C-alpha cells in the first residue's frame, strides 16, 4: 500500500497495471528467508540434490564445443533438438506429440503468460480451481481476466461443480476463454485429479466447447505410482499442455514449454517473439546436454525419494503435534500440504505471529481470486531438511495452539503482531 501512495506515475499506468500487485508469497519471501525462520512458505526445489560438479563439467564442455551456438540468438520457438527430447519426457505421461507443436518458454510461467495474452481480453472469464496456483492468478490479473473458481476436493477438480459453473455461465451468455487446471500434486492443495474424473472433465469441456490449459509442473514427482496419464494424452485439440524443467532439473535454467494445437502454437511463437525476441540458447543447450548425457530418469527418482522423506517428516509431525480441529491432506507427490485451521482462526492474521515464532507459511488467501481462504494455509516441504521441517511444524503447532487459547479467552485472536521480529506484519500486507 505504501508504495502505491508514493507512486507518482499512478495515473499514467495502463489499466492492466492495476492488477499487478505483489503476491502473498513474494511479500513473505522477504521475511521467510531470514536464517532463524523455518520457511514452509516458498516452493523452492532442492537443487542441491543435483550432481552439481557433473553439471558444471557438462556446462564447461558445452561451452568449449558449442559455445558460439550457445551464445547466439536462436528462434523464439526453441531448439529443435530440445523440442524432440521434450517429447520423450512427455511420453512418460502418455503424450504422443511432435516437436513442431512445442514452444519452449522462459519457465512454464511464460507459457501461461503467452496463452493468457493470446486468449484473454479485459473482463473475459477464466475458470480456475479453488484454490489455484498463485502465479496463474497473477497472470490472469495482469490481463484483467475475471477468474471464476471451480472447487476442488480430495480427488481434484469436482466435475459436477464444473458442469454447474459452465451451465450458469451459459445462461448469463458468458463463455470462458479456458479452464486452467493443475491435475497432478496441485499447487497449493497437493491433490491429484482422480483417474476416473479425467475423461469426465474432458467430456464436460467438449460439451461446453471449453479450451483446457493443463499445467503439469509436478506430474513426474509422484511418490507412490508411475506418472499418471495427462488430459492432453486424450485430447490433442482441446488441451494446451504446459511443462517445465524447473522441478525435475532446476528452476534457475528457466526452461519450460507449451504444447499446443498447430494454429495456437503458431500464435504462441509470434507472441513469444514479441515478448523475448529469442530464448536463451545457453540454457536450452544446457538442458539438451543434460538430457542427452546425464541419467535424468534416475535423478528424478532421487528427487522423488528426497521429497517423499520430507513429506513424511511433515505428515508425521503434523499428526503428532497439531491441535485438534486442524485437518490436512496427504499428498502423493509434489511439494505441498494444504492445512485447514480450526473454526474461527484466520491464517492471514496469524502469519505475522507465526513469523514471530520463527516459522513461515503462505496464508490460503493468496490462492483465491475472491479473497477466500482465510481458514487454510499452504505448507511446503520441498526445501528444508527433515529436522527443520519437524521444528517448523512444532513452531506452527505452538502458534495455532496459542491462537486457539486467545480465541477461547477473548473471543478473538487479535490483530497485532507479537514482538520478536522487526515489524513482521509490514511485509505481509
Ligand atoms: N505452474 C505451477 C503449478 C507452479 O507451481 C509453478 C512454479 N511454482 C509454475 C507453473 C511455474 O514454474 P516455472 O516458471 O519455473 O516453470
Amino acid at each position: 500500500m505504501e508504495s502505491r501512495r508514493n507512486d507518482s506515475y499512478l495515473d499514467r499506468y495502463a489499466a492492466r497495471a492495476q492488477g499487478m500487485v505483489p503476491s502473498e508469497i513474494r511479500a513473505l519471501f522477504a521475511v521467510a528467508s531470514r536464517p532463524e525462520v523455518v520457511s514452509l512458505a516458498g516452493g523452492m526445489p532442492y537443487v542441491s540434490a543435483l550432481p552439481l560438479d557433473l553439471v558444471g563439467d557438462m556446462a564447461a564442455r558445452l561451452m568449449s564445443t558449442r559455445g558460439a551456438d550457445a551464445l547466439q540468438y536462436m528462434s523464439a520457438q526453441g531448439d529443435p533438438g530440445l523440442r524432440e527430447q521434450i517429447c520423450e519426457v512427455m511420453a512418460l505421461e502418455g503424450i504422443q506429440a511432435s516437436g513442431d507443436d512445442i514452444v519452449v518458454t522462459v519457465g512454464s510461467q511464460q507459457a501461461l503468460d503467452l496463452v493468457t495474452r493470446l486468449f484473454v481480453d479485459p473482463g473475459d472469464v477464466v475458470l480456475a480451481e479453488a484454490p489455484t496456483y498463485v502465479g496463474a492468478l497473477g497472470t490472469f490479473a495482469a490481463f484483467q481476466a475475471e477468474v471464476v473458481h471451480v472447487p476442488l476436493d480430495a480427488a481434484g477438480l469436482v466435475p459436477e461443480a464444473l458442469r454447474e459453473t459452465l451451465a450458469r455461465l451459459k445462461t448469463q451468455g458468458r463463455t470462458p476463454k479456458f479452464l486452467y487446471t493443475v491435475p497432478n500434486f496441485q499447487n497449493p492443495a497437493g491433490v491429484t485429479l482422480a483417474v476416473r474424473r479425467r475423461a469426465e472433465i474432458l467430456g464436460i469441456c467438449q460439451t461446453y466447447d471449453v479450451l483446457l490449459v493443463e499445467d503439469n509442473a509436478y506430474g513426474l514427482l509422484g511418490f507412490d505410482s508411475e506418472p499418471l496419464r495427462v488430459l492432453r494424452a486424450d485430447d490433442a485439440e482441446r488441451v494446451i499442455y504446459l511443462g517445465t524443467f524447473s522441478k525435475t532439473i532446476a528452476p534457475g535454467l528457466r526452461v519450460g514449454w507449451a504444447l499446443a494445437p498447430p494454429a495456437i502454437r503458431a500464435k504462441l511463437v509470434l507472441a513469444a517473439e514479441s515478448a523475448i525476441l529469442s530464448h536463451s540458447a545457453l540454457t536450452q543447450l544446457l538442458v539438451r546436454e543434460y538430457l542427452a548425457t546425464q541419467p535424468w530418469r534416475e535423478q528424478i527418482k532421487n528427487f522423488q525419494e528426497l521429497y517423499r522423506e520430507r513429506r513424511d517428516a511433515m505428515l508425521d509431525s503434523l499428526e503428532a503435534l497439531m491441535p485438534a480441529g486442524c485437518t490436512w491432506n496427504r499428498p502423493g507427490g509434489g511439494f505441498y500440504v494444504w492445512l485447514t485451521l480450526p473454526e474461527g482462526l484466520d491464517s492471514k492474521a496469524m502469519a505475522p505471529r507465526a513469523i514471530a515464532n520463527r516459522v513461515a507459511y503462505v496464508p490460503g488467501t493468496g490462492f483465491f481470486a475472491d479473497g477466500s481462504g482465510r481458514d487454510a494455509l499452504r505448507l511446503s516441504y520441498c526445501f528444508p531438511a527433515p529436522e527443520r521441517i519437524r521444528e517448523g511444524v512444532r513452531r506452527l503447532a505452538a502458534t495455532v495452539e496459542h491462537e486457539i487459547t486467545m480465541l477461547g479467552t477473548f473471543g478473538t485472536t487479535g490483530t497485532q503482531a507479537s514482538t520478536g521480529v522487526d515489524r513482521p506484519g509490514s511485509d505481509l500486507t
Side-chain angles (χ1 to χ4, degrees):
M1 284 324 256
E2 198 58 32
S3 61
R4 294 193 65 154
R5 234 179 284 131
N6 293 338
D7 187 348
S8 51
Y9 297 98
L10 211 51
D11 56 356
R12 299 194 208 175
Y13 291 125
R16 80 183 76 87
Q18 302 291 329
M20 295 178 187
V21 290
S23 76
E24 309 237 351
I25 295 190
R26 185 185 302 227
L28 271 168
F29 264 131
V31 276
S33 58
R34 295 178 195 164
E36 71 276 17
V37 175
V38 176
S39 178
L40 306 175
M44 290 192 304
Y46 191 68
V47 291
S48 303
L50 286 167
L52 294 177
D53 291 352
L54 294 178
V55 175
D57 294 347
M58 192 195 82
R61 229 175 16 252
L62 173 70
M63 202 42 82
S64 59
T65 55
R66 293 199 59 191
D69 291 333
L71 297 177
Q72 194 48 274
Y73 285 117
M74 72 150 51
S75 84
Q77 187 172 358
D79 178 74
L82 174 63
R83 286 190 272 116
E84 292 307 322
Q85 289 169 312
I86 288 172
C87 291
E88 272 177 53
V89 174
M90 293 190 299
L92 299 174
E93 301 158 345
I95 294 179
Q96 303 287 323
S98 148
D100 288 347
D101 293 331
I102 290 171
V103 186
V104 180
T105 52
V106 184
S108 53
Q109 188 68 32
Q110 195 208 8
L112 200 52
D113 180 279
L114 296 179
V115 169
T116 312
R117 184 181 302 251
L118 275 193
F119 285 98
V120 173
D121 285 315
D124 280 349
V125 172
V126 168
L127 297 176
E129 291 151 349
T132 193
Y133 167 48
V134 63
L137 286 177
T139 301
F140 301 152
F143 287 98
Q144 300 167 277
E146 182 188 325
V147 174
V148 172
H149 280 305
V150 184
L152 287 171
D153 65 16
L157 185 66
V158 180
E160 299 75 46
L162 177 62
R163 206 178 275 115
E164 277 165 26
T165 306
L166 285 167
R168 177 166 48 82
L169 287 169
K170 195 170 179 187
T171 60
Q172 295 166 357
R174 309 189 76 186
T175 311
K177 285 296 174 82
F178 55 79
L179 164 66
Y180 170 73
T181 179
V182 182
N184 296 312
F185 320 123
Q186 201 244 17
N187 180 3
V191 298
T192 291
L193 184 63
V195 171
R196 64 179 185 285
R197 285 190 180 177
R198 297 187 178 221
E200 195 177 356
I201 299 282
L202 275 177
I204 297 168
C205 289
Q206 281 153 11
T207 306
Y208 285 89
D209 196 15
V210 173
L211 195 62
L212 251 141
V213 177
E214 176 176 38
D215 179 351
N216 197 28
Y218 303 93
L220 295 181
L221 291 181
F223 305 145
D224 309 310
S225 59
E226 291 299 302
L228 289 169
R229 191 174 171 84
V230 291
L231 297 159
R232 165 59 179 75
D234 293 312
D235 194 335
E237 289 307 309
R238 189 168 297 282
V239 181
I240 301 174
Y241 173 99
L242 312 185
T244 180
F245 289 111
S246 287
K247 325 288 170 176
T248 48
I249 309 179
L253 294 163
R254 307 309 300 131
V255 179
W257 67 93
L259 168 67
I264 297 177
R265 188 263 300 141
K267 290 271 194 208
L268 285 173
V269 174
L270 294 174
E273 267 170 14
S274 95
I276 55 165
L277 184 61
S278 160
H279 202 292
S280 161
L282 176 60
T283 61
Q284 287 193 47
L285 293 185
L286 270 177
V287 173
R288 184 173 164 171
E289 198 65 11
Y290 179 89
L291 293 173
T293 64
Q294 304 295 312
W296 59 272
R297 290 179 180 79
E298 281 71 46
Q299 182 55 41
I300 291 176
K301 286 207 171 73
N302 292 343
F303 277 131
Q304 289 166 351
E305 288 310 312
L306 180 106
Y307 295 134
R308 181 215 298 274
E309 189 192 356
R310 290 171 185 209
R311 182 227 25 201
D312 289 345
M314 179 167 278
L315 291 178
D316 292 349
S317 35
L318 287 170
E319 194 62 55
L321 299 168
M322 288 312 280
C326 293
T327 56
W328 56 89
N329 65 308
R330 198 186 158 77
F335 291 177
Y336 308 107
V337 169
W338 183 250
L339 183 140
T340 303
L341 292 168
E343 206 178 327
L345 265 55
D346 178 334
S347 62
K348 197 165 181 179
M350 188 175 80
R353 295 187 280 271
I355 289 188
N357 280 343
R358 295 168 296 129
V359 60
Y361 60 80
V362 186
T365 42
F367 307 99
F368 294 83
D370 58 9
S372 50
R374 282 182 178 271
D375 61 337
L377 52 91
R378 191 192 76 177
L379 299 172
S380 311
Y381 49 78
C382 44
F383 196 76
E387 60 277 12
R388 290 281 284 173
I389 292 174
R390 284 189 270 270
E391 177 58 23
V393 171
R394 200 185 60 70
R395 294 174 188 177
L396 179 67
T399 309
V400 173
E401 199 86 68
H402 184 254
E403 299 284 297
I404 293 171
T405 310
M406 296 286 283
L407 191 67
T409 312
F410 302 111
T412 170
T413 56
T415 51
Q416 293 127 288
S418 319
T419 52
V421 173
D422 309 335
R423 298 180 58 237
S426 61
D427 288 319
L428 294 168
T429 49

